Each structure stands twice: as C-alpha cells, then as structure tokens.
Amino acid sequence: MSANNMKNILQELEIDATIDLPSNFEDEIKKSKELTKQWAKIKEEVHNQRETHQILLAGMQQIKKEYYKSSLSKDFSKNLRKKIMDSGSLAPKPLPLPKKNRFLKKWQVLTPIAAMFMVMVGLLVLRQSNLPKSDIKVAQLSNEQEQGSGLITSELRETKASPSAEKRADSKEKEKDVGSGISKSRKPTSKEETEQKSTLMAKKPQRDSSTDKVLNAASDDGTKQFDEKALPPSVASSMPPTVSAEAPRKKSGEAGASASEKEEIEKMFAELEKNPNNIALRLKLQKILIEKKDFKGLKRLKKIVSK
Amino acid sequence: MPSSLPSRDIQDFFEESAPYHERLFYLACNYMRDPDEAEDVVQDVLIKASQKYETFEDRSSIYTWLVRILINHCHDIKRLHKRRRTHSIEEIAPDGKELQIEDPSSDHVRNFELSETSARLMNIVQTLADPYKELVLLRYFEEMQYKDIAKALDLSEGTVKSRLNQARKLLRDRLSKEGIGEAFLVS
C-alpha cells in the first residue's frame, strides 16, 4: 500500500475512527517515519473510539434482543389501517369544481373581504370627516356671518356667474372687507352695483362701537388678524383668532340692517317701478323679501310685475 | 374501499411502510418509557406519514423518512411532557411541600425487562444531549449508514461523523466509570 493511501487513511481516522482498516495497517505505518509520528499522535484516541464503538454495537444488540420480547400488538396493522381511513388522509379528494363553480367559490371568498375593506374605508372617511372643534366653530361662525351680512353676500352672489367664483369672491371679500365692509379691488360693473356699494358704505357708521374698534385695529395692521383684547370678552373668549375678525360683522349687520335694508328695498322698488322689465333686479328684490319674510313687500312686487 | 385511487394509495403506503413498523416501534421504545406508549407513537407517526405520503419524494428511503417523522414526533411529546411536569410542579409548590422531581433518565426502560447492564448502558446513552443521543441510537441501535442518518436528521455526512466521534468520547468516560464496557466486550 502506498504512503499516500496510508496518509489518507490516517486523515480519515481523525474524522471517523471506526472505519475499516487494512489487516497490515500497523506494519505499513511502521515503514514510514512520518506516518509513524502521525499515527502516534492519534493512536490512543482511535483505539478508545473503536473500543467504544464495539461496546455500543454489542450493547445495543443486547438491548435490541431484550426489546424484541415485546412487540407491536396483533391488531396494530388492522387498527392503523382503520385509523388512516377514518382520518381521511388518503381518502378520495373532491373532484375539481367546474369553471363556473370555481368562479363562484372565488367570489364567495372575495365578497366578505371586499365588504370588510369597504367598511374599513367608510370608517376612515367618517373619522376624517369628524372635524376638530375649532373647525366646527369656524364653520358655524362663517355661517352666522353669512346670515348677518346676508345682504352683502346676496348682492355679491348675484353679480358672480359661477358658484365657485362666488365662493372665491366671498372669501376674498371676507379678507379684504374687514375694515371697510367693501372690497376695494372690485370694480363696480354697473350702475346698480354702484348704488349697492353706496348703500353698503352707508351701513358702516351704523355698526356698534366695540366692533368698530376691532375693525379699526384690523385695518390698522393691514392684516385680517387682530388683537383679541379689543373684542368684547364674550366674543373674544369663544372665537378662534382666524375667524374672530368676521364675527363683528354679524353684530353690525343685525344692528344696522333694518334701516338701511328698508331704504335699499325702497330704492329697488322705485327702480323697478321705473323699469319693471329689469328681471335681475326683480329677482334680487324677491330674494331679499323672501329672506326677510316680507309678505307685504312681495305683494307689492307682484303688483308691479303684473302691471 | 371508497375508490380505486385512494385504496391503491393506502395499499402502497402499507406495503412500503409495513416492513419497518417493528423497527420504528423499537426505536420509539428508546424514547418512550413503555411499550404501549411506543406503540401509540408509531401509530401516530404512521398516520401523520400517510397524510404526507403524497409529498414524499424518493430522494430518501421510506424508512429514513419515517424515522425523521418519528424523531420529530418524539421531540414534540417530550416537550409536552416537560411542560406538563413544570405545570404540576407549579401546582404543588405553593403548598410548601418538598418536591421530589423524578429524573427521567434514571429508569428510562423500567417497563422493559432489560438486563442490568443493558439498562445501565441505555441510561448512559440517555444522558447525552439530544443531538448526540439521536446519532448514537440511529447508528448503533438502528445500524443506519452515515448518509441515511444525515438525511434523517437533515445534517451533512461530515457533521454526522464528527458528532459521533464526540458522542463516543463522552460515552467512553461514563462507560469506563460504570465498568460496563468490559461486560459487553467479554460477552
């Protein structure tokens, strides 16, 4: 046997000491000094390992013999077969569903999932639509403001063509009107509007003093923000700063509306009497009268129109 | 029989696994304390195997595959026993009574009529850590080849060899202390 082969065997012995060795193994080792040295290093360990291997083999054989005295029960196979059949592990599988049924089955699974998804989306939307308190206040106040200065807004709305443009104009108005009550940037488009503007200008002195203070403060700063301290305590405490500038208009609208509005309505009646075919004016007047629930005025309007 | 296909499958499974039922039983005996429990384990293992029979690939022999399932099943049972034992200890402990915890390896094969030396040898093997114990049982009790052991335990052949070397080293000291080695070598 070559030295190389012997070297390989020694290396193999280091990994697994139980391999079969050639009968003349030790004689072959003695032929080479290097191999003898190498073998000397592992000899004891290999012997121990091989001995343990023998003990284990013999011991386990003995144990097996003793184990064999006990065996599986006679009915084991029968019971096992029965149990396997009952468990259905190798039972016939249902045939694949026809295409239509498969599609239906898919939908039977998908529908509840889709429904759940819709509910989730709905909940999310609802949650988002639940505005914080400050936002609700803003909305309320702007509504009140709109009602209070209904005249102004209605006039402005009439002049605007589209609702979106109207909204934009309203918001612009709110921003710019704080001090003066009239948008300076907007040019009057007709005689009618010039008149309306003049009536609005007339309304200004009728505002109460507290509101005027606020408005003056706002106009002095040149911004729509104003000092809350200038507001009456009841108003200041309940309003967020961004909308508080709008609030005084409501008060002024309520206070000075009746006289100026009557005056304005009268003017509109006079105008209509002169020119009953002015449909725009008629509609505007009708709207104002309906808003004010002025039935007498409405009757009067009807008379003028029927002429 | 419900139909020809499944009956053929059952037949196949029985034909292929039947020669190994006893061997599996004896292997299970090494894990369980009593032959009845070992039989139950083998039955459970074969039912489990029948459920997975369709997925069985011929890369290893059916016996290696069954051994693998059996070992995993025995581990599960062992874990369950351990948990139960801990529970029962927790239940008794608050009473302040002194607890006497049984050493599971002390009379591992009490229900088998093993000779004294065999029982001692088996108890020494049982003291090994699981990775070594499994290798020793598969190599010396089941007399499996390295490659089959490697497949059954999902290890490389090199790992199997080196671990067996370590296991033998560990056993050598214990066997010589107990004086068992000579008894087997002489007989």
Side-chain angles (χ1 to χ4, degrees):
Chain A
M1 197 174 276
S2 70
N4 263 349
N5 277 350
M6 292 307 291
K7 224 176 184 178
N8 286 341
I9 290 173
L10 285 177
Q11 278 174 350
E12 188 69 22
L13 275 171
E14 281 180 41
I15 301 163
D16 177 18
T18 63
I19 53 165
D20 292 330
L21 295 174
S23 53
N24 58 347
F25 174 74
E26 294 228 20
D27 297 332
E28 290 288 330
I29 289 283
K30 280 172 192 169
K31 283 178 188 171
S32 159
K33 273 190 178 178
E34 195 193 334
L35 290 173
T36 315
K37 269 187 183 178
Q38 211 177 327
W39 171 237
K41 279 182 196 170
I42 57 165
K43 192 180 176 181
E44 203 186 332
E45 177 61 26
V46 171
H47 273 300
N48 284 341
Q49 287 271 345
R50 290 177 83 85
E51 203 178 86
T52 314
H53 175 71
Q54 291 301 322
I55 293 168
L56 285 169
L57 278 175
M60 289 294 176
Q61 284 297 329
Q62 183 67 31
I63 291 169
K64 258 198 263 187
K65 274 182 199 168
E66 290 167 25
Y67 270 13
Y68 288 162
K69 287 173 194 166
S70 51
S71 61
L72 285 165
S73 58
K74 284 176 189 172
D75 297 335
F76 179 79
S77 291
K78 201 179 160 188
N79 289 340
L80 178 69
R81 197 182 284 261
K82 203 181 168 190
K83 279 196 177 178
I84 289 174
M85 294 288 277
D86 289 347
S87 74
S89 51
L90 290 169
K93 283 176 194 163
L95 288 167
L97 292 162
K99 257 192 177 178
K100 199 182 171 186
N101 279 359
R102 256 186 280 171
F103 176 76
L104 281 173
K105 203 162 188 181
K106 214 182 231 178
W107 273 104
Q108 278 171 0
V109 177
L110 285 174
T111 313
I113 295 165
M116 283 286 285
F117 180 73
M118 293 291 278
V119 168
M120 293 284 281
V121 169
L123 281 170
L124 271 170
V125 168
L126 271 174
R127 225 177 150 186
Q128 291 225 329
S129 65
N130 284 342
L131 290 167
K133 276 186 177 178
S134 59
D135 289 353
I136 295 164
K137 241 178 202 174
V138 172
Q140 280 174 350
L141 289 168
S142 61
N143 271 345
E144 283 169 7
Q145 181 270 332
E146 261 188 309
Q147 280 171 6
S149 59
L151 189 66
I152 306 165
T153 47
S154 65
E155 282 166 359
L156 291 170
R157 270 186 205 134
E158 289 293 323
T159 53
K160 293 283 170 187
S162 69
S164 60
E166 187 183 293
K167 273 187 184 175
R168 258 181 276 132
D170 270 354
S171 60
K172 268 189 182 178
E173 206 72 43
K174 280 171 200 168
E175 283 170 14
K176 291 177 181 175
D177 255 2
V178 178
S180 61
I182 281 182
S183 169
K184 285 173 189 173
S185 61
R186 210 180 129 239
K187 287 177 184 173
T189 47
S190 66
K191 242 186 182 180
E192 219 174 85
E193 279 188 14
T194 337
E195 277 174 19
Q196 287 161 10
K197 200 174 173 182
S198 64
T199 51
L200 284 169
M201 289 294 276
K203 272 195 271 178
K204 194 186 168 187
Q206 290 165 7
R207 284 173 181 156
D208 63 30
S209 59
S210 65
T211 352
D212 281 347
K213 263 187 195 173
V214 178
L215 296 174
N216 287 337
S219 59
D220 285 347
D221 286 345
T223 60
K224 52 185 173 173
Q225 298 285 336
F226 62 93
D227 190 0
E228 268 193 11
K229 285 173 191 171
L231 276 171
S234 61
V235 181
S237 62
S238 63
M239 285 179 194
T242 46
V243 271
S244 54
E246 309 283 345
R249 292 178 69 187
K250 180 195 163 189
K251 271 197 166 182
S252 67
E254 278 172 2
S258 56
S260 62
E261 277 172 10
K262 271 181 189 174
E263 199 180 311
E264 193 191 9
I265 290 165
E266 281 308 317
K267 274 184 183 177
M268 286 167 94
F269 270 121
E271 188 83 13
L272 253 181
E273 274 170 356
K274 281 179 200 169
N275 184 15
N277 295 328
N278 189 342
I279 296 164
L281 187 63
R282 198 179 80 195
L283 288 170
K284 201 188 295 173
L285 184 59
Q286 195 178 343
K287 200 178 175 184
I288 293 166
L289 292 170
I290 289 166
E291 272 176 13
K292 292 187 123 335
K293 291 176 185 174
D294 186 351
F295 298 110
K296 280 184 183 176
L298 283 166
K299 271 185 184 177
R300 196 176 153 194
L301 178 67
K302 204 179 175 183
K303 271 183 188 175
I304 295 166
V305 174
S306 61
K307 279 178 189 175
Chain B
M1 294 288 160
S3 74
S4 61
L5 182 72
S7 70
R8 199 192 69 217
D9 280 350
I10 290 169
Q11 204 55 43
D12 279 354
F13 179 72
F14 268 95
E15 274 174 20
E16 283 199 60
S17 67
Y20 308 113
H21 288 183
E22 291 278 335
R23 277 181 78 178
L24 289 169
F25 168 69
Y26 296 125
L27 183 61
C29 286
N30 288 310
Y31 284 92
M32 299 296 116
R33 287 180 173 211
D34 115 358
D36 292 336
E37 269 187 50
E39 190 171 314
D40 287 345
V41 163
V42 175
Q43 198 171 61
D44 290 345
V45 165
L46 289 168
I47 290 170
K48 217 183 240 184
S50 72
Q51 286 165 348
K52 294 177 182 173
Y53 185 54
E54 280 179 21
T55 62
F56 167 65
E57 290 163 9
D58 292 332
R59 270 183 270 167
S60 62
S61 74
I62 191 161
Y63 178 66
T64 312
W65 181 62
L66 290 172
V67 164
R68 192 172 182 164
I69 298 171
L70 184 125
I71 287 171
N72 289 335
H73 190 75
C74 288
H75 280 307
D76 290 345
I77 290 173
K78 213 175 162 186
R79 269 197 290 271
L80 206 76
H81 278 275
K82 218 175 183 178
R83 220 177 292 160
R84 274 186 200 159
R85 223 175 17 246
T86 343
H87 275 293
S88 62
I89 289 167
E90 279 167 3
E91 280 163 22
I92 303 160
D95 302 342
K97 285 179 185 172
E98 203 174 307
L99 295 169
Q100 284 189 331
I101 302 160
E102 192 186 1
D103 177 9
S105 65
S106 62
D107 61 345
H108 177 79
V109 279
R110 65 180 176 191
N111 291 316
F112 294 99
E113 289 174 9
L114 287 180
S115 64
E116 196 198 328
T117 38
S118 298
R120 277 162 70 195
L121 172 66
M122 191 46 95
N123 284 339
I124 289 170
V125 171
Q126 293 296 329
T127 60
L128 288 171
D130 278 345
Y132 297 127
K133 186 170 72 187
E134 275 154 16
L135 284 168
V136 169
L137 287 174
L138 295 182
R139 180 78 184 102
Y140 295 104
F141 189 86
E142 284 302 306
E143 295 176 72
M144 281 168 80
Q145 297 299 310
Y146 291 132
K147 60 173 185 181
D148 292 333
I149 297 171
K151 274 178 190 167
L153 298 178
D154 205 12
L155 297 169
S156 70
E157 268 192 64
T159 312
V160 171
K161 284 177 187 175
S162 67
R163 278 193 190 169
L164 268 171
N165 255 8
Q166 284 173 306
R168 279 191 294 261
K169 224 184 234 181
L170 290 166
L171 284 172
R172 171 81 194 171
D173 296 337
R174 290 173 200 179
L175 290 170
S176 59
K177 269 184 198 169
E178 294 276 331
I180 295 169
E182 289 79 16
F184 282 112
L185 288 174
V186 169
S187 67

